[in-house]
Amino acid sequence: MKKHILSGIKLTAVCLVFFSGIYTLFILGIAQMAPNQGKGEIVEANGKKQYLNIGQSFTDGKYFNSRPSAVAYNAAGSGGSNKGPSNPEYLAEVKQRIDTFLIQNPEIKRSEIPADLVTASGSGLDPNISAQAAKVQVKRITKIRNINEQKLVHLIAENTDKPLLGVFGPEKINVLQLNIALDKIK
Amino acid sequence: MNTEIIGIVAMFLITLGLSIPLGKYIAKVYTGQKTFLDPVFNPIEKLFYKISGIDATKEMNWKQHMFVLLTLNTIWFLLGMIILMCQGWLPLNPDNNPNMTADLAFNTAISFLVNCNLQHYSGETGVTYLSQLFLMFLQFVSAGIGLAAAAVLFNALKERTTEKLGNFYNYFIKSCTRILLPVSVVVAVVLLFNGTPMTFEGKDTITTLQGDTVQVSTGPVAAFTAIKHVGTNGGGFFGTNSSHPLENPNYFTNMVEMIAQMIIPFAMIFALGFYLNRRKLSWMIFSVMTIGFLALTVPTVMAEMNGNPEIEAMGIDTSNGATEGKEVRFGAAASGYWSIATTVISTGSVNSMHDSAMPLSGMNQLLAMMVNCFYGSCGVGLLNFYIFIILAVFISGLMVGRTPEFLGKKIEAREMKIAMIVALFHTLLILVGVALSTGFPEQGASTLNNPGFHGFSEILYEFTSSSANNGSGFEGLGDNNPWWNITTGIVLLLSRFLPIIGPIAIAGILANKKHIPESAGTLKTDTTTFGLMIFSVIAIIAALSFFPALALGPIAEYFSMK
């Protein structure tokens, strides 16, 4: 019995070195060959560094707005709302979001608003919106920025990510990428 | 056809296609045949044994196997408590995260030890990088323990009479080095090249396009996320697990992570067939499990894609499904599929918030964990299924008036007693836990995030997830307090080790019995009829005993909605 305990302790030490140490260092080594040395995908905007995959809060009317977030896009503390589908408080909140959206975008019909634009994501850091969610914001942005509507429709089409290999999963738009491109339109 | 549906069908078929050759490889590893990885791992394993002073050729009986298993786990638990409670003082803590409280460390150490990975902390603020690396070690070894236990079962099912069932250290080390490690390396590399970080730098501060200052948590995520799935552990690096855009950046990584978590549970079923040379038995087991899996998956995917009727009633466009708690890049179908996959195979990682899922999806997630053997976790899923096989053999034996036998061994009262205790223990742990939490509302109900029936589901989910060693949660529950930390910690311990020791004991006892050659009078166990029999036993024992609890939670919520 004592022998097993002693062997167990030694085996634990070896496994720790191997699985926590060597495995980690090996992956860390490969990371040096990955994009941006394994520090996350980066894009530059106005000379500032941005994480492409981390959703940002866009609440300003002149930008395509991102989805609601339970943690206000705090990338150091992700989280969802965890509200149940029948929770009356939650449903009232969604209703409120729809009404606010209709006030900010008076040309849009209620039935055109896609659900993702008025519900919070799981991580609170969703970098994407659906194509429909971008389309319903075009009229507002056209007015504020005073640019051609057709240009914006074109911009959305350009920035829509097709399903993986064209067949797997949904279509989506990276809001940050879209807004960076939007800022470039003169 | 809809690209979201094609995506999930592809995930299932790719997993199945890859798991058959992997199963063949696993069978070779456990029988000690030559494999192409021998030149790499033979010297490494020799070094492991030499340093630890282990003779990996000495065969053990089932009690010795279980003794080694429990000894190793005790050592890891104690080490885990020390590291988690002192993490603030130890190195690799760039974000200056604090020490864990005793009750949280107790829960976390046990939870990772038992392959559950219930997390009552949030990765960004609750643990340091050193603790993450230690938890990652537990993710390897706890999965290794499960696989090794299944290997003992494989050995015991061979047609012979013996007490000696191989060497536990041998099975354990080989499971970690030759099965879990290579698959994890592949997955980690794929994640790296898709934007998952792997760095030891602390939080980064950026200014967003709109001008806000935001801190961004990173860390050695790629290495961690790989074994989290390959070992069916499920503990997320970040608080929101695989819905976090750094932990699961796009649809491709989502597919890879999904395949990574299902492949070993699938492969183990086929490994059993290759090991015993009874492929038909493997396909019978696989079919029963798959029917169960599909029965839960199809309605869930449909419910999620149809969207929330309450929100639809507000007059907006819900054609992209129930989007609360879900990420746009995965969509409703892949989120619904993941939620059932992760609960049947006991990973417990999530790519959407289960708390916000539709009522019937929540019920299916609960049922998946209540049954706990449609595929099941690394190794342990098969052990759970073995219990149901024993019960089904016994019942059908009595029904047709034959001596109940499985693979040439007579099943008698002693084995049946163990099997029944194991089967009912899961129910007992869940229902007693739920009853206590609802009975003392200042402990249970005060921590809920949602009112009414859904609140009850939160309690039910927490205990079901603990007892199934799953680790996902209705995360709205405020679970970082002594009540939840200690009660679920105890449930975790009991529900991990009894369902391993029970089946191994049965297998060990059976292996030692006289082998009766197959004859015309033998009850065939690899037929459709017998498959149906097992399915009915599972439905009666696992599902029906939970029906009243489900009726109070998700079913009541479903009928209360518009």
Side-chain angles (χ1 to χ4, degrees):
Chain A
M1 173 166 168
K2 212 170 130 197
K3 192 180 156 286
H4 277 303
I5 295 176
L6 218 74
S7 302
I9 293 173
K10 285 191 233 162
L11 186 65
T12 304
V14 187
C15 286
L16 264 172
V17 170
F18 193 72
F19 294 112
S20 289
I22 295 174
Y23 165 70
T24 312
L25 290 175
F26 181 69
I27 303 297
L28 197 65
I30 296 176
Q32 304 316 309
M33 291 179 272
N36 193 30
Q37 281 101 49
K39 290 174 191 163
E41 278 182 51
I42 300 287
V43 281
E44 290 259 326
N46 307 332
K48 285 188 194 120
K49 172 173 130 182
Q50 310 286 350
Y51 285 88
L52 183 63
N53 289 325
I54 302 263
Q56 299 186 353
S57 171
F58 285 107
T59 45
D60 198 330
K62 65 175 185 176
Y63 282 120
F64 285 98
N65 289 177
S66 36
R67 298 178 63 187
S69 162
V71 295
Y73 286 92
N74 172 10
S78 57
S81 73
N82 286 308
K83 296 288 185 202
S86 62
N87 186 333
E89 221 176 276
Y90 157 72
L91 292 168
E93 203 180 335
V94 174
K95 210 172 225 159
Q96 180 69 47
R97 287 180 193 143
I98 297 172
D99 294 339
T100 312
F101 186 85
L102 286 173
I103 293 169
Q104 290 168 349
N105 303 270
E107 298 91 345
I108 301 300
K109 280 199 279 303
R110 186 175 272 267
S111 59
E112 290 173 307
I113 305 174
D116 59 301
L117 205 54
V118 291
T119 52
S121 65
S123 63
L125 300 172
D126 195 341
N128 300 113
I129 51 175
S130 63
Q132 175 69 10
K135 277 175 202 153
V136 292
Q137 302 188 47
V138 165
K139 287 221 163 69
R140 183 191 75 226
I141 296 170
T142 313
K143 238 193 268 168
I144 296 178
R145 294 204 175 223
N146 201 13
I147 42 180
N148 187 324
E149 191 177 327
Q150 224 34 49
K151 255 190 195 168
L152 281 189
V153 173
H154 192 69
L155 191 76
I156 292 175
E158 253 178 12
N159 282 282
T160 305
D161 301 327
K162 292 273 161 242
L164 177 66
L165 304 176
V167 282
F168 302 131
E171 263 190 5
K172 63 195 185 299
I173 292 178
N174 185 306
V175 189
L176 175 65
Q177 224 166 17
L178 182 66
N179 282 328
I180 291 175
L182 177 65
D183 267 348
K184 283 186 186 147
I185 296 184
K186 287 284 168 284
Chain B
M1 202 170 33
N2 185 318
T3 53
E4 291 196 42
I5 306 271
I6 298 179
I8 58 177
V9 173
M11 281 188 245
F12 183 83
L13 293 179
I14 295 171
T15 314
L16 179 58
L18 291 175
S19 66
I20 297 172
L22 182 65
K24 201 168 190 175
Y25 168 78
I26 292 176
K28 276 187 183 169
V29 168
Y30 290 142
T31 44
Q33 294 174 51
K34 258 199 179 146
T35 65
F36 67 102
L37 288 173
D38 284 356
V40 188
F41 289 117
N42 278 345
I44 293 177
E45 285 158 10
K46 244 183 217 156
L47 190 72
F48 271 53
Y49 299 137
K50 206 176 150 198
I51 297 175
S52 332
I54 289 167
D55 177 6
T57 54
K58 212 171 123 197
E59 299 225 20
M60 303 174 173
N61 65 26
W62 74 266
K63 284 178 191 157
Q64 288 164 326
H65 276 288
M66 290 303 101
F67 179 75
V68 175
L69 182 148
L70 292 175
T71 310
L72 288 174
N73 276 283
T74 312
I75 296 169
W76 297 335
F77 168 67
L78 295 173
L79 187 62
M81 284 294 284
I82 296 170
I83 290 182
L84 294 171
M85 285 179 70
C86 304
Q87 59 175 6
W89 304 319
L90 296 170
L92 291 183
N93 186 11
D95 296 335
N96 291 317
N97 290 338
N99 292 335
M100 277 194 184
T101 57
D103 57 304
L104 181 59
F106 172 77
N107 188 281
T108 308
I110 290 178
S111 168
F112 277 78
L113 182 74
V114 304
N115 199 258
C116 171
N117 298 202
L118 197 68
Q119 294 168 294
H120 289 177
Y121 62 91
S122 226
E124 292 94 330
T125 50
V127 282
T128 66
Y129 289 165
L130 185 84
S131 297
Q132 296 275 31
L133 291 183
F134 175 73
L135 295 176
M136 192 171 81
F137 154 80
L138 285 183
Q139 293 189 324
F140 270 104
V141 295
S142 66
I145 289 283
L147 290 172
V152 178
L153 174 72
F154 286 9
N155 194 320
L157 293 178
K158 281 198 234 166
E159 289 178 22
R160 53 151 170 35
T161 305
T162 179
E163 218 191 31
K164 301 288 179 199
L165 305 171
N167 180 286
F168 193 81
Y169 294 113
N170 174 43
Y171 290 145
F172 164 65
I173 291 294
K174 278 186 173 168
S175 305
C176 292
T177 54
R178 293 178 188 228
I179 300 169
L180 297 169
L181 185 70
V183 186
S184 298
V185 168
V186 173
V187 174
V189 171
V190 171
L191 291 175
L192 266 181
F193 284 87
N194 280 281
T196 301
M198 182 71 198
T199 168
F200 280 92
E201 286 171 17
K203 278 179 204 148
D204 196 2
T205 308
I206 59 160
T207 310
T208 67
L209 208 56
Q210 209 178 254
D212 311 325
T213 306
V214 171
Q215 290 197 310
V216 181
S217 291
T218 57
V221 189
F224 191 94
T225 306
I227 180 62
K228 154 184 132 185
H229 286 118
V230 174
T232 64
N233 294 284
F237 191 93
F238 297 112
T240 51
N241 214 300
S242 275
S243 70
H244 193 290
L246 290 182
E247 200 154 332
N248 193 358
N250 55 43
Y251 198 83
F252 178 61
T253 57
N254 188 61
M255 287 180 88
V256 171
E257 288 180 17
M258 174 45 64
I259 293 164
Q261 60 183 309
M262 286 191 104
I263 190 164
I264 291 183
F266 275 32
M268 283 304 280
I269 306 166
F270 297 112
L272 175 73
F274 288 118
Y275 189 98
L276 299 174
N277 211 6
R278 286 178 183 271
R279 290 184 211 172
K280 224 180 136 194
L281 181 68
S282 279
W283 280 106
M284 184 279 288
I285 296 176
F286 183 79
S287 311
V288 172
M289 291 178 171
T290 303
I291 291 169
F293 173 65
L294 291 179
L296 297 171
T297 305
V298 174
T300 304
V301 169
M302 277 166 58
E304 295 305 319
M305 289 183 81
N306 282 338
N308 185 342
E310 299 268 5
I311 291 183
E312 201 179 345
M314 295 177 196
I316 64 165
D317 175 12
T318 54
S319 59
N320 49 7
T323 48
E324 181 70 36
K326 292 191 183 58
E327 306 286 302
V328 169
R329 63 189 182 284
F330 309 139
S335 301
Y337 180 78
W338 182 302
S339 76
I340 297 301
T342 192
T343 41
V344 286
I345 56 174
S346 164
T347 312
S349 70
V350 297
N351 76 348
S352 67
M353 294 299 118
H354 291 188
D355 215 344
S356 300
M358 291 297 105
L360 291 188
S361 307
M363 180 184 78
N364 289 337
Q365 292 155 8
L366 282 163
L367 267 173
M369 295 186 287
M370 287 160 173
V371 170
N372 206 17
C373 69
F374 291 150
Y375 309 129
S377 69
C378 270
V380 183
L382 266 183
L383 295 181
N384 288 338
F385 197 81
Y386 179 64
I387 292 288
F388 287 114
I389 293 182
I390 298 290
L391 296 180
V393 163
F394 193 78
I395 295 171
S396 13
L398 293 182
M399 280 165 77
V400 293
R402 283 180 194 160
T403 330
E405 288 166 27
F406 181 58
L407 303 183
K409 300 295 171 94
K410 225 188 263 174
I411 293 168
E412 288 164 301
R414 197 165 156 213
E415 294 83 78
M416 271 309 290
K417 277 183 205 156
I418 302 174
M420 266 332 285
I421 290 172
V422 174
L424 292 179
F425 196 61
H426 183 52
T427 320
L428 179 84
L429 285 177
I430 296 174
L431 295 181
V432 168
V434 173
L436 285 175
S437 292
T438 36
F440 298 101
E442 65 278 18
Q443 305 292 351
S446 65
T447 55
L448 302 180
N449 189 43
N450 287 289
F453 305 123
H454 196 86
F456 179 78
S457 302
E458 284 182 342
I459 296 178
L460 182 62
Y461 198 103
E462 188 71 4
F463 277 106
T464 309
S465 175
S466 303
S467 185
N469 282 188
N470 183 280
S472 62
F474 272 15
E475 288 298 337
L477 188 73
D479 47 18
N480 182 17
N481 55 45
W483 171 260
W484 286 112
N485 284 336
I486 294 168
T487 51
T488 55
I490 294 168
V491 168
L492 285 169
L493 268 186
L494 294 172
S495 62
R496 165 74 168 181
F497 293 109
L498 198 80
I500 288 181
I501 297 170
I504 296 293
I506 298 176
I509 296 166
L510 290 185
N512 211 5
K513 285 189 183 175
K514 206 174 83 201
H515 180 254
I516 313 153
E518 230 170 272
S519 68
T522 311
L523 177 80
K524 293 260 188 298
T525 48
D526 51 8
T527 57
T528 319
T529 320
F530 188 69
L532 281 173
M533 194 64 206
I534 300 181
F535 196 86
S536 330
V537 170
I538 293 175
I540 292 164
I541 291 182
L544 276 188
S545 46
F546 291 108
F547 183 73
L550 290 171
L552 288 174
I555 297 177
E557 188 186 9
Y558 174 76
F559 284 112
S560 71
M561 282 171 79
K562 274 176 215 162

